Amino acid sequence: ADIYRLEEALRLPARLVSPTRVTADRTEALCLLLRRRVYPNRHNDLLPLLGRSVSELSIIFNCILDHIHDNFGHLLQNLHQPWLSLEKLNTFAQAVANKGPPLQNCWGFIDGSTMAIAKPKQHQKVVFSGHKRIHCLKFQGIMTPNGLFAHMFGPMEGRRHDAAMFHESGIMTTLEETMIYMNRPDGTPLCLYGDPAYPLRPHAMKPFMGARLTREQEAFNKDISSVRISVEWGFGKMSNLFAFVDFKKKKNLKLHLQPVGKIFLVATILANCHTCLYSSQTSEYFNLSPPSLEEYRSP
């Protein structure tokens, strides 16, 4: 029953029709998308299962991928969502504070992630991460205590630092424009928390830095790091659900032959939908229920 509920939430037409006039039932198309994402198989591997030609499978896959990205990509770009109201953000901040860290105004956590790709024939150095020692693309996500990614920026070249990605994303401007009137009851501004790579701003906090920290500062860093790990749980869940986006050994994604950035973003949307249906490690840790599937995808 949940697959039909997801079809309705994603507003899939009864039959998808590609520009080349290849058609598919929406259930068939959605199952193809999900089946191909859960393991890095090729279209050839799905021939016995779906009974279509490789070219038809490829066309259907790209058709539903485009539909979800074009119609729901804004869910990862726009913070003006019903489930991100001031009341909800204050609830998020309280849930974080309840876990012990002396930070009363943190409503989410920001971090970067990599998506391994096959070694390209051109511009190899641009997408090579010296830190991870792989060719990859990078993304930046904001995870909320209810287990959803509220924002996702990318892709960017694998060689870029998280600080550069933060600047390029423009998220600081977005936060200032969105959060300017969103404060805690005591008047303190609501903020995100990130690792040392991120800047210190009214709406973006990070650990205390320096060789000589006070006991209080060290305790703060330790306490907040124990809850910041939730954003890593979010990326981990997406990788577990859709191994295609993080299968380093096969490196199945080819930069110039596949819409790899779009694949990652759609996987994020689908992972959020899964959390809405079945909860997640993050939402259970903070004891917060995610919004319903219908509330999440509402404009």
Side-chain angles (χ1 to χ4, degrees):
D2 287 336
I3 193 72
Y4 302 123
R5 187 178 170 191
L6 183 58
E7 291 173 1
E8 292 295 329
L10 295 176
R11 300 192 182 102
L12 296 176
R15 294 196 68 79
L16 278 81
V17 182
S18 75
T20 57
R21 311 306 297 174
V22 173
T23 63
D25 176 83
R26 67 179 184 176
T27 302
E28 177 189 14
L30 183 56
C31 288
L32 167 62
L33 175 68
L34 296 175
R35 178 63 179 83
R36 186 135 195 263
R37 295 281 71 82
V38 298
Y39 187 80
N41 42 64
R42 298 170 297 178
H43 286 119
N44 278 327
D45 302 324
L46 302 179
L47 292 180
L49 182 65
L50 297 175
R52 289 201 183 239
S53 68
V54 170
S55 61
E56 284 182 318
L57 292 177
S58 178
I59 291 170
I60 295 169
F61 173 81
N62 287 320
C63 186
I64 189 170
L65 189 74
D66 288 341
H67 172 87
I68 297 174
H69 181 269
D70 295 346
N71 289 280
F72 298 98
H74 68 278
L75 295 176
L76 302 178
Q77 305 297 326
N78 185 359
L79 295 178
H80 293 284
Q81 305 294 337
W83 66 276
L84 290 174
S85 64
L86 176 58
E87 180 183 1
K88 295 290 186 181
L89 295 184
N90 278 311
T91 300
F92 295 165
Q94 187 59 53
V96 173
N98 289 344
K99 281 299 178 179
L103 188 61
Q104 303 296 312
N105 59 333
C106 174
W107 66 272
F109 304 92
I110 185 168
D111 200 8
S113 183
T114 58
M115 180 185 191
I117 60 174
K119 182 179 179 179
K121 294 182 178 180
Q122 297 179 334
H123 310 300
Q124 297 171 7
K125 292 183 178 180
V126 174
V127 294
F128 183 75
S129 170
H131 175 64
K132 298 287 186 178
R133 308 301 297 174
I134 57 173
H135 293 87
C136 63
L137 298 179
K138 299 190 74 172
F139 295 82
Q140 174 185 272
I142 295 174
M143 168 64 65
T144 56
N146 65 356
L148 297 186
F149 278 106
H151 193 274
M152 185 67 69
F153 171 77
M156 283 194 69
E157 307 93 325
R159 69 175 182 177
R160 302 294 291 275
H161 191 270
D162 283 357
M165 187 161 55
F166 181 86
H167 175 74
E168 291 289 335
S169 70
I171 188 63
M172 196 68 257
T173 300
T174 301
L175 289 173
E176 290 171 349
E177 293 175 349
T178 304
M179 311 292 293
I180 187 170
Y181 299 115
M182 292 188 173
N183 300 319
R184 292 282 290 159
D186 62 4
T188 56
L190 289 162
C191 71
L192 297 174
Y193 186 86
D195 62 29
Y198 294 99
L200 183 63
R201 298 287 189 276
H203 298 293
M205 301 290 289
K206 68 176 185 177
F208 287 101
M209 306 292 291
R212 297 182 178 180
L213 300 179
T214 66
R215 290 184 180 180
E216 291 78 10
Q217 291 171 335
E218 290 178 348
F220 174 89
N221 288 351
K222 181 179 179 180
D223 290 341
I224 194 65
S225 66
S226 66
V227 294
R228 195 195 70 83
I229 196 174
S230 61
V231 69
E232 298 177 13
W233 292 343
F235 283 117
K237 173 179 178 172
M238 184 164 57
S239 298
N240 289 333
L241 285 176
F242 307 110
F244 198 97
V245 303
D246 189 37
F247 206 75
K248 298 179 177 64
K249 291 184 178 180
K250 279 197 172 183
K251 296 177 182 175
N252 211 41
L253 294 167
K254 297 176 175 60
L255 184 59
H256 300 293
L257 297 178
Q258 298 166 296
V260 291
K262 187 180 296 185
I263 287 171
F264 189 94
L265 295 173
V266 170
T268 305
I269 295 171
L270 292 174
N272 277 352
C273 291
H274 186 278
T275 296
C276 291
L277 289 170
Y278 308 112
S279 189
S280 71
Q281 182 179 4
T282 300
S283 60
E284 292 173 3
Y285 175 75
F286 287 105
N287 195 28
L288 285 177
S289 298
S292 68
L293 191 60
E294 292 72 24
E295 182 183 2
Y296 169 65
R297 67 96 166 106
S298 62

